[in-house]
Amino acid sequence: MSNLEQEIKDYWNNQPCNVKHGTSEVGTREFFNEVTAKRFRAEPHNLDFPQFHQYRGKRVLEIGCGIGTDAQQFAQNGAHYVGIDLSDESLTLAKQRFEVFDLKGDFYNIDMTNLNELKKLGTFDLVYLYGVIHHFPNIEKIITNVHTVLNTGGEFKFMVYAKNSWKYAMIRKGLDQFEAQSNCPYAEAYTSEEIEQLLGKKFTIERLRQAHCFMYNIDKYKEGKFELEPWFEAMPELMREAVKEYLGWHLLVKARKTL
């Protein structure tokens, strides 16, 4: 493991993604329910994009499963779920979540660039990465590995950060940062054209769109309150929706293996 990869692992071990979205005791049913509710209220496209109900009886691999929020949705909808992550702390909580809700699934600590380890998991009908691939170097290798473990005609759904977005403009101006926690060791953002080039001829892109602009006051959000910042509050709802659609931070990609 390179020094950068160790930094990435340490970063997400120190604070697994969304672990502060619940106020109840970490690892309890109440905690996981709070995390789920806050995630889907702040980012409602996270329900529409995965379409969890479509994967009943199908093999799903989630790369970068985190603490298992989406994993729970796949499993509850009847998918044969496998999740991998580089963060031991995240995996511990994901496994605990499945125990709490009496769900079936398999979890592994695997580096997504390690094809030999990925191939041991078998092949899949869907490979799903949400907010993961942009936090790790060598995206070309990861995409190649995804292609290898996908069944012919299988789906590849992922989210990356968008360059042509409100938030990336704020980051470039020094007014924002990639993650809620500071000092993220690695993060990238992409244009639609760059994603098309990365997927090449091995995948057919079925849909590519932007969504999500975080418009809430951070301090209030940490208290569990959804209070718009005054400049967003002043916008008509239609204008806020336009910002999300055309300047959204999340670039959502639905592709299918064709070769």
Side-chain angles (χ1 to χ4, degrees):
M1 181 178 291
S2 69
N3 290 338
L4 176 57
E5 290 170 346
Q6 188 62 53
E7 286 181 36
I8 294 169
K9 181 172 184 174
D10 292 343
Y11 180 82
W12 295 110
N13 270 334
N14 289 335
Q15 187 175 308
C17 189
N18 294 337
V19 76
K20 292 188 176 181
H21 283 189
T23 58
S24 298
E25 181 182 350
V26 175
T28 62
R29 176 181 288 265
E30 293 74 20
F31 167 78
F32 291 125
N33 283 338
E34 288 168 1
V35 171
T36 298
K38 193 168 187 178
R39 170 178 166 82
F40 291 137
R41 179 174 177 185
E43 303 175 10
H45 60 285
N46 285 346
L47 280 172
D48 173 65
F49 173 64
Q51 294 288 292
F52 299 109
H53 65 279
Q54 292 184 350
Y55 300 98
R56 178 175 297 277
K58 296 185 178 182
R59 296 201 78 223
V60 172
L61 171 64
E62 182 177 9
I63 298 177
C65 63
I67 64 174
T69 304
D70 287 349
Q72 179 181 347
Q73 303 303 314
F74 280 117
Q76 287 179 334
N77 279 277
H80 300 299
Y81 178 87
V82 178
I84 70 170
D85 206 291
L86 197 63
S87 164
D88 306 282
E89 295 299 324
S90 297
L91 286 169
T92 295
L93 285 172
K95 292 175 183 177
Q96 193 167 348
R97 180 193 289 261
F98 269 50
E99 290 175 3
V100 166
F101 290 97
D102 193 24
L103 298 171
K104 292 181 179 180
D106 297 307
F107 295 92
Y108 302 93
N109 187 314
I110 293 178
D111 179 339
M112 55 189 163
T113 63
N114 189 330
L115 181 57
N116 289 333
E117 291 299 313
L118 284 177
K119 288 170 70 174
K120 292 177 183 178
L121 304 177
T123 59
F124 297 87
D125 303 299
L126 168 69
V127 176
Y128 176 78
L129 302 92
Y130 199 91
V132 175
I133 201 170
H134 51 233
H135 281 309
F136 211 79
N138 202 349
I139 188 172
E140 294 88 353
K141 174 65 173 174
I142 296 166
I143 290 173
T144 297
N145 289 354
V146 168
H147 183 269
T148 300
V149 300
L150 262 178
N151 293 323
T152 301
E155 288 184 279
F156 180 23
K157 288 184 176 181
F158 63 99
M159 180 276 278
V160 291
Y161 294 149
K163 278 184 180 176
N164 301 323
S165 64
W166 177 289
K167 178 157 180 170
Y168 194 65
M170 297 301 104
I171 291 171
R172 293 184 66 189
K173 197 65 177 177
L175 300 173
D176 207 339
Q177 59 188 19
F178 277 93
E179 298 300 325
Q181 50 180 319
S182 59
N183 301 316
C184 181
Y186 189 91
E188 296 284 355
Y190 298 90
T191 64
S192 298
E193 293 76 17
E194 287 171 335
I195 292 300
E196 290 171 356
Q197 290 175 2
L198 284 166
L199 293 184
K201 296 181 179 180
K202 291 184 177 181
F203 292 94
T204 298
I205 295 177
E206 297 185 339
R207 190 176 186 191
L208 194 156
R209 65 185 176 96
Q210 285 177 244
H212 182 58
C213 181
F214 189 82
M215 300 181 173
Y216 303 108
N217 178 277
I218 294 294
D219 292 333
K220 296 293 185 181
Y221 183 73
K222 289 178 179 178
E223 298 173 2
K225 301 174 183 177
F226 289 78
E227 183 177 301
L228 290 171
E229 293 284 13
W231 48 92
F232 288 122
E233 178 68 37
M235 291 181 180
E237 178 61 27
L238 190 61
M239 188 178 292
R240 289 197 291 268
E241 290 304 314
V243 171
K244 295 174 186 177
E245 184 175 353
Y246 295 102
L247 295 173
W249 182 225
H250 291 177
L251 187 58
L252 305 171
V253 186
K254 178 184 177 183
R256 193 174 297 276
K257 178 176 176 177
T258 51
L259 292 177

